[in-house]
Amino acid sequence: MATVKLFSLSCLRNESSYGDFSSKAHYPSMPKYPKGFSVSSGEEKKAIFSVNGMSCSACASSVEKAIKRLSGIKEAVVDVLNNKAQVIFYPTFVNEETILETIEDVGFEATLVTEETNEKTSQVCRIRIKGMTCTSCSATVESALRLIPGVQKAQVALATEEAEIQYDQRILTHNQLLETIEDTGFEAILISTGEDRSKILLKVDGVHTENSMSIIESSLRALPGVEDVDIDPELKKLSVSYKSDTIGPRDFIQVIESTGSGRFKATIFPEGGGKQSHRQEEIEYCRRSFLWSLVFTIPVFLTSMIFMYIPGLKDGLDIKVVNMLSVGEILRWVLSTPVQFIIGRRFYSGSYKALRHGSANMDVLIALGTNAAYFYSVYSVLRAATSPSFKSTDFFETSSMLISFILLGKYLEVLAKGKTSEAIAKLMNLTPETASLLQLDDEGNVVKEEEIDSQLIQKNDVIKILPGAKVACDGFVIWGQSHVNESMITGESRPLAKRKGDMVIGGTVNENGVLHIRATKVGSESALSQIVRLVESAQMAKAPVQKFADRISKYFVPLVIILSLFTWLAWFLAGKYDGYPKSWIPSSMDSFQLALQFGISVMVIACPCALGLATPTAVMVGTGVGASRGVLIKGGQALEGAQKVDCIVFDKTGTLTMGKPVVVNTKLFRSMVLREFYELVAAAELNSEHPLAKAIVEYAKKFREDEENPRWPEVQDFESITGHGVKAVVHNKTLIVGNKSLMLDQGVSIPVDADELLAEAEELAQTGILVSINGELSGVVSISDPVKPGAREVISLLKSMKVESKLVTGDNWGTANAIAMEVGISDVIAEAKPEDKAEKVKELQSLGKVVAMVGDGINDSPALVAADVGMAIGAGTDIAIEAADIVLMKSNLEDVITAIDLSRKTFSRIRLNYFWAFGYNLLGIPIAAGALFPFTGFRLPPWVAGAAMAASSVSVVCSSLLLKNYKRPKNLDNLEIGGITVES
């Protein structure tokens, strides 16, 4: 499946005014703009194109990739079934005609069908699917979902046993999706929908009639902000969807309890339907099935393999009951029947479901193999019972032992698969179970403190965090100061100082002081929940290399069945027509039985599961390991792209530099007071989100230290000139603040002294900002943004990994060259606008490079989208809307190396998994078919072949689990950042 790259509207709305500098901070709301201000690049548009000539998913992928390479594309989804492409784009950078031409350049005919408004019609839901055994099962479900009108995208992951479906909610409901999955023969359980962002489950005690539940439901529906209420009278469960800005769960509990005049008691519904509980149920089911199979299989094994060689016991088992039918044969028949038809019922059920939809899976192979052994044995014993001379040879031990070994393999497999998703489980367990809720009076004094369930926290609640306690939700500090350990969320190893006004993240640990925080994001809106959702989506996304295994799985089972039949026929005919010596046939068999054993062995040794699990299990572990280190990799495609990267394009500000510029020097070229100068400049810059503008405003505040929140003069006719600076009218004076090219464009002459000052600043890796008042150059402000400690060492390590480094910045050439020289980069592009950065990326790609773009996700969005791999650095708590494939939650550059190295190690593991899976089948099938038998007399009994098949799946999962021991490159362990040694 193609990955859709998303970037936030704010990324383009906060476009660089001066060039490369861009803020890493996440601003909760857009600034209030004065009269005359407009953002031309902030609006997004949606267009639908009809694309004719596409015949397969490869065609759709090529169209999608071509569209995404254009600057200003937010999202592109190509539907090969309906011959349509849906594109969300920013008109400032690209238009419909350009998109049409791009599609036609790929080789397809395209027409614009319609333009739609920004009304959200697309919905995403996640569904758990029980009963899938191999890639053939997941492919069947995925195909069925994609055929439904209104489904825009569907991904089914075998390793997680989940489906993620994007659909048009005007055409479809999630119930129809559940029905479709169940029609394919699998059990479907809804995990979540896009509507679940604010949803809570409550249990109501004291309700004895349906009328009472109806009254409660009506009372809740009447509340402002409640969107939907679902009731389950049997479990006395309520599901409430609501707008968290308006209302919260404690309000629901209060309404429920007041409705019943104290008779009703509402609490959080105990967790029981989560992923971990379902995994535990599956593990327990597989364990129970295996143990029950052993109860019957061990006696079958003993009577056929052991007791036959013990005098006395052998005589007892050989006692004839009817004609040649013995006691031992009856015992084996009776004991193996429950294993075949009751314990092994799952294989019949799975086979039927697969065959009903025209596909064949692993269950078909097991059912065919065990049925062949069982029913031949039944024929043999029935013939012995009706004949006075026929000596029976049964294979009851083959069918029962085969099923037992396969169930053992399945049990071990689900145990191992459970460990691949431990990273998500650990993240979900970070939130504390309870929280201390404070009630404040009008003066901010605490009047009441109570302990509540952390799921009952509402927006704007004040929560007390004690030393050593976990932060219960996202929010900001309103009282107290402390250090907070955020390593479990961001990977940042050092505790960060927190004081009034600072943001805190739910799930982090308060170190030493008491904090009072005001909740801003709770429940599924929190940073922790966003990270969990991102990692879950990453584990759903398929790596392109997996498509190869998916294609093979379509033909694998039918091919194995043909090979099995051919093996049986070849050995049978060879035996019948004396193609081999009679001495080859074991004394207890004839040529037909020998051929049957070879055929069954071929059928049950082949393992499509190992092929299907090779990629997704490694991707699950790899993304989990990355998340635990603050490197969020958005799926298999990002992993596969990162391991191929041979060229990295770095943004400058906030990436190679600290991203916190400060004013270091001011030179005036007219007679005026410095305070008055900065008052005018700060007023003009106040409406810009640019880091340089913020640095100037912060510096200007020093001249007004007597005021806590200084009021700046009113601004008129504000204009932001992308990549250059700003214009505004302040106190009836026309101000132009920006770079040299802006001054020249506006006809402002630049004195020689100012030119020399700019040159000196550039040599010192500083940025010179020119200020013109009423058309006359009035001053130069020098701003410095220091290089991050360790940047030079990171660039050097990348060279040793055979990865080239480039610097592309909107800053001036002098500053860019000075920074590049300091960190060790030789290839520099300066004074580049956002679209120029994207063009540079495309130029490198045209030279055959696999390009990664590393930026801060604000004004680098077009380049992040255009790159083969986009890495957003320092994204922190705003991870869900970045235009990147990989999000580096810390601001440390060494995580770029971690991301690439982890991707390479993960794909090495995937290659090893495929080598084992293919090698096992290529080696095992000929041995099972008797390739060694003529030379060595060695043959593989069917039950041993079944055990080998089960072991192959388990070994692939265990191989992937070894990634949990991942260690960063040793050179990174010795890297010093700011005097502190970084440890892995």
Side-chain angles (χ1 to χ4, degrees):
M1 292 294 294
T3 300
V4 178
K5 299 181 183 177
L6 302 176
F7 54 92
S8 65
L9 186 58
S10 63
C11 292
L12 291 175
R13 196 172 280 160
N14 297 338
E15 246 339 319
S16 166
S17 295
Y18 301 101
D20 183 60
F21 284 88
S22 51
S23 174
K24 294 181 291 159
H26 171 56
Y27 304 99
S29 59
M30 291 297 295
K32 295 179 181 178
Y33 299 108
K35 290 185 290 184
F37 176 77
S38 65
V39 181
S40 60
S41 63
E43 296 179 359
E44 64 181 49
K45 288 182 70 177
K46 183 190 290 184
I48 305 290
F49 299 89
S50 174
V51 184
N52 296 320
M54 296 189 295
S55 58
C56 64
S57 58
C59 301
S61 178
S62 62
V63 173
E64 197 169 302
K65 190 78 174 175
I67 295 171
K68 286 180 184 175
R69 288 195 186 280
L70 294 171
S71 298
I73 299 296
K74 178 179 178 180
E75 183 178 339
V77 180
V78 179
D79 182 356
V80 68
L81 294 173
N82 297 309
N83 292 317
K84 286 185 179 180
Q86 177 180 285
V87 184
I88 299 174
F89 61 99
Y90 293 92
T92 303
F93 295 99
V94 69
N95 56 31
E96 293 92 335
E97 290 75 17
T98 306
I99 298 170
L100 275 171
E101 290 171 8
T102 301
I103 297 171
E104 288 169 353
D105 287 344
V106 180
F108 301 99
E109 189 179 338
T111 53
L112 180 65
V113 176
T114 181
E115 290 183 351
E116 297 187 1
T117 64
N118 291 330
E119 179 188 0
K120 186 180 177 184
T121 62
S122 183
Q123 188 72 274
V124 176
C125 77
R126 290 176 57 242
I127 297 171
R128 181 171 292 107
I129 304 170
K130 298 176 79 173
M132 296 190 298
T133 56
C134 63
T135 48
S136 180
C137 301
S138 58
T140 300
V141 177
E142 198 169 280
S143 300
L145 289 169
R146 288 180 183 171
L147 289 171
I148 306 172
V151 170
Q152 297 158 350
K153 186 168 70 169
Q155 292 182 136
V156 178
L158 173 65
T160 59
E161 296 178 337
E162 290 178 8
E164 187 174 85
I165 305 118
Q166 182 177 324
Y167 62 97
D168 190 332
Q169 59 185 349
R170 297 172 302 180
I171 302 172
L172 274 174
T173 66
H174 60 259
N175 287 327
Q176 290 170 277
L177 298 172
L178 292 170
E179 288 170 11
T180 300
I181 294 171
E182 287 173 352
D183 285 343
T184 61
F186 300 97
E187 185 182 348
I189 303 167
L190 182 68
I191 301 174
S192 66
T193 69
E195 302 160 348
D196 293 343
R197 286 188 63 80
S198 295
K199 184 176 182 179
I200 192 160
L201 300 177
L202 299 173
K203 183 177 182 181
V204 185
D205 293 319
V207 176
H208 302 295
T209 64
E210 288 190 14
N211 184 49
S212 298
M213 286 296 278
S214 297
I215 293 171
I216 291 172
E217 181 184 2
S218 300
S219 301
L220 290 174
R221 286 188 185 277
L223 295 173
V226 172
E227 296 178 325
D228 192 25
V229 179
D230 287 328
I231 62 172
D232 186 337
E234 289 184 14
L235 297 176
K236 298 178 182 177
K237 181 172 75 170
L238 286 167
S239 171
V240 187
S241 298
Y242 60 96
K243 293 178 181 176
S244 58
D245 291 326
T246 309
I247 201 165
R250 291 202 310 281
D251 300 319
F252 306 145
I253 291 175
Q254 185 179 351
V255 167
I256 292 168
E257 293 181 350
S258 61
T259 300
S261 303
R263 289 183 294 114
F264 303 149
K265 179 73 175 173
T267 55
I268 297 291
F269 193 83
E271 291 290 336
K275 177 184 286 188
Q276 292 306 111
S277 63
H278 278 283
R279 180 71 72 187
Q280 280 304 122
E281 285 176 18
E282 187 182 11
I283 289 171
E284 183 57 30
Y285 171 73
C286 290
R287 189 180 75 89
R288 202 165 51 245
S289 297
F290 170 62
L291 291 177
W292 272 111
S293 72
L294 280 187
V295 170
F296 296 98
T297 300
I298 290 174
V300 173
F301 171 76
L302 292 174
T303 57
S304 62
M305 300 285 190
I306 306 297
F307 293 167
M308 299 306 292
Y309 301 100
I310 301 175
L313 289 177
K314 181 181 185 304
D315 296 335
L317 292 172
D318 284 342
I319 294 172
K320 301 298 184 279
V321 179
V322 180
N323 288 327
M324 296 297 289
L325 179 63
S326 68
V327 172
E329 289 163 348
I330 293 174
L331 280 174
R332 288 193 290 274
W333 186 5
V334 169
L335 290 168
S336 63
T337 299
V339 179
Q340 183 72 32
F341 297 109
I342 299 175
I343 298 168
R345 181 180 56 193
R346 59 186 292 170
F347 303 119
Y348 287 101
S349 174
S351 302
Y352 170 72
K353 292 168 184 174
L355 294 172
R356 191 163 63 111
H357 290 88
S359 63
N361 60 10
M362 187 191 77
D363 289 337
V364 173
L365 294 179
I366 296 167
L368 282 174
T370 56
N371 275 342
Y374 179 84
F375 284 108
Y376 174 78
S377 301
V378 170
Y379 157 77
S380 182
V381 297
L382 288 177
R383 186 175 172 189
T386 57
S387 170
S389 58
F390 178 79
K391 182 169 174 57
S392 167
T393 302
D394 64 84
F395 297 139
F396 286 122
E397 83 285 350
T398 295
S399 65
S400 57
M401 290 176 68
L402 189 52
I403 288 172
S404 295
F405 275 114
I406 289 166
L407 290 174
L408 172 62
K410 189 67 180 173
Y411 171 59
L412 295 174
E413 185 184 317
V414 294
L415 272 178
K417 280 163 70 176
K419 294 184 181 296
T420 62
S421 56
E422 277 183 354
I424 292 179
K426 287 178 181 176
L427 284 171
M428 294 175 75
N429 290 333
L430 287 177
T431 307
E433 292 183 2
T434 60
S436 295
L437 175 68
L438 302 179
Q439 288 186 15
L440 309 180
D441 59 20
D442 294 337
E443 296 178 359
N445 299 314
V446 177
V447 295
K448 185 181 179 182
E449 179 179 339
E450 64 175 314
E451 190 174 273
I452 62 169
D453 191 304
S454 61
Q455 294 183 63
L456 296 178
I457 298 174
Q458 300 178 185
K459 281 189 179 178
N460 296 317
D461 280 347
V462 177
I463 305 297
K464 179 181 178 181
I465 314 294
L466 295 170
K470 290 180 180 178
V471 178
C473 62
D474 294 2
F476 62 90
V477 178
I478 61 170
W479 180 87
Q481 57 183 17
S482 180
H483 285 79
V484 175
N485 181 358
E486 297 184 347
S487 61
M488 62 291 296
I489 302 291
T490 65
E492 180 63 59
S493 57
R494 290 171 292 176
L496 301 177
K498 300 290 180 180
R499 54 180 61 86
K500 186 177 179 180
D502 289 340
M503 300 299 295
V504 292
I505 307 171
T508 55
V509 177
N510 183 24
E511 294 276 322
N512 44 27
V514 178
L515 295 175
H516 293 178
I517 67 165
R518 188 172 296 280
T520 55
K521 290 183 178 180
V522 297
S524 56
E525 294 179 358
S526 68
L528 184 59
S529 294
Q530 289 185 36
I531 293 170
V532 169
R533 278 200 299 275
L534 189 147
V535 175
E536 286 179 335
S537 295
Q539 294 181 347
M540 288 290 302
K542 291 182 181 178
V545 70
Q546 193 177 337
K547 293 176 183 176
F548 175 60
D550 290 347
R551 282 196 297 270
I552 289 175
S553 68
K554 289 180 183 178
Y555 310 104
F556 187 86
V557 174
L559 182 63
V560 168
I561 293 171
I562 292 168
L563 282 173
S564 176
L565 291 172
F566 177 78
T567 300
W568 168 78
L569 188 61
W571 278 100
F572 174 66
L573 292 176
K576 187 171 183 179
Y577 296 106
D578 300 325
Y580 57 81
K582 297 293 183 186
S583 59
W584 285 11
I585 304 173
S587 59
S588 60
M589 295 185 190
D590 58 25
S591 60
F592 176 85
Q593 293 166 342
L594 180 65
L596 183 64
Q597 282 222 343
F598 281 128
I600 293 172
S601 293
V602 168
M603 196 172 290
V604 297
I605 200 170
C607 186
C609 291
L611 288 171
L613 293 170
T615 298
T617 52
V619 169
M620 284 178 71
V621 179
T623 52
V625 168
S628 67
R629 294 172 178 267
V631 178
L632 300 182
I633 303 169
K634 298 182 181 178
Q637 186 161 345
L639 269 172
E640 186 163 349
Q643 59 100 21
K644 296 177 183 175
V645 165
D646 55 14
C647 178
I648 297 183
V649 176
F650 285 96
D651 170 38
K652 180 175 75 69
T653 306
T655 303
L656 291 175
T657 65
M658 298 297 291
K660 295 179 180 177
V662 291
V663 175
V664 292
N665 189 30
T666 309
K667 177 69 176 177
L668 299 181
F669 291 95
R670 65 185 295 174
S671 178
M672 65 188 302
V673 178
L674 195 60
R675 175 187 170 119
E676 180 190 350
F677 172 80
Y678 269 104
E679 185 165 291
L680 295 172
V681 177
E685 292 284 36
L686 190 64
N687 298 298
S688 174
E689 287 295 319
H690 198 284
L692 291 185
K694 290 183 178 298
I696 291 172
V697 173
E698 285 300 313
Y699 188 77
K701 287 179 180 178
K702 293 181 179 179
F703 296 96
R704 305 179 71 168
E705 288 182 346
D706 52 321
E707 301 177 44
E708 188 174 339
N709 293 304
R711 293 175 60 85
W712 304 103
E714 185 180 347
V715 178
Q716 297 177 329
D717 300 329
F718 178 87
E719 182 184 353
S720 174
I721 304 164
T722 302
H724 295 284
V726 299
K727 287 177 65 178
V729 176
V730 184
H731 285 332
N732 296 319
K733 296 176 181 178
T734 301
L735 267 78
I736 303 172
V737 185
N739 56 23
K740 185 176 179 180
S741 62
L742 177 61
M743 297 299 158
L744 296 175
D745 289 345
Q746 299 294 321
V748 177
S749 60
I750 301 174
V752 175
D753 289 352
D755 246 341
E756 291 176 353
L757 199 63
L758 285 175
E760 289 174 13
E762 289 174 4
E763 287 177 7
L764 296 170
Q766 297 170 357
T767 301
I769 302 300
L770 303 174
V771 179
S772 162
I773 302 175
N774 290 332
E776 179 187 347
L777 190 75
S778 303
V780 176
V781 178
S782 297
I783 297 177
S784 174
D785 185 15
V787 169
K788 285 181 178 176
R792 185 177 186 86
E793 288 81 358
V794 168
I795 300 301
S796 176
L797 284 173
L798 285 171
K799 278 182 186 174
S800 69
M801 296 169 68
K802 299 182 179 178
V803 178
E804 299 176 27
S805 298
K806 318 280 183 184
L807 173 61
V808 180
T809 174
D811 212 338
N812 61 72
W813 279 98
T815 303
N817 283 323
I819 294 291
M821 188 177 298
E822 189 173 345
V823 299
I825 295 176
S826 56
D827 192 352
V828 182
I829 299 291
E831 299 180 6
K833 295 178 182 178
E835 56 267 36
D836 297 332
K837 296 180 183 181
E839 288 303 318
K840 177 62 177 177
V841 167
K842 293 173 186 174
E843 180 188 323
L844 290 167
Q845 288 170 331
S846 68
L847 298 174
K849 302 284 186 187
V850 179
V851 183
M853 171 70 194
V854 184
D856 58 12
I858 305 298
N859 70 337
D860 303 309
S861 298
L864 286 169
V865 173
D868 296 288
V869 180
M871 296 187 190
I873 193 166
T877 60
D878 193 24
I879 63 167
I881 54 176
E882 295 291 345
D885 302 295
I886 298 174
V887 180
L888 311 177
M889 295 189 68
K890 295 179 284 182
S891 295
N892 295 339
L893 271 176
E894 71 267 17
D895 282 346
V896 174
I897 295 175
T898 301
I900 293 174
D901 185 63
L902 177 59
S903 298
R904 289 180 178 180
K905 294 277 175 57
T906 302
F907 259 78
S908 293
R909 185 61 54 180
I910 288 172
R911 280 190 284 269
L912 179 63
N913 287 350
Y914 275 127
F915 176 79
W916 166 248
F918 279 112
Y920 162 81
N921 283 292
L922 291 174
L923 193 64
I925 290 175
I927 292 173
L932 300 179
F933 188 64
F935 313 106
T936 63
F938 175 78
R939 62 185 176 87
L940 209 60
W943 63 271
V944 175
M949 184 270 282
S952 68
S953 295
V954 176
S955 62
V956 164
V957 177
C958 291
S959 169
S960 296
L961 283 173
L962 290 175
L963 278 170
K964 293 175 77 174
N965 300 322
Y966 168 77
K967 300 290 184 187
R968 301 191 313 167
K970 289 182 180 178
N971 292 334
L972 279 184
D973 296 337
N974 302 321
L975 187 63
E976 290 197 359
I977 296 182
I980 297 176
T981 301
V982 178
E983 296 179 357
S984 62

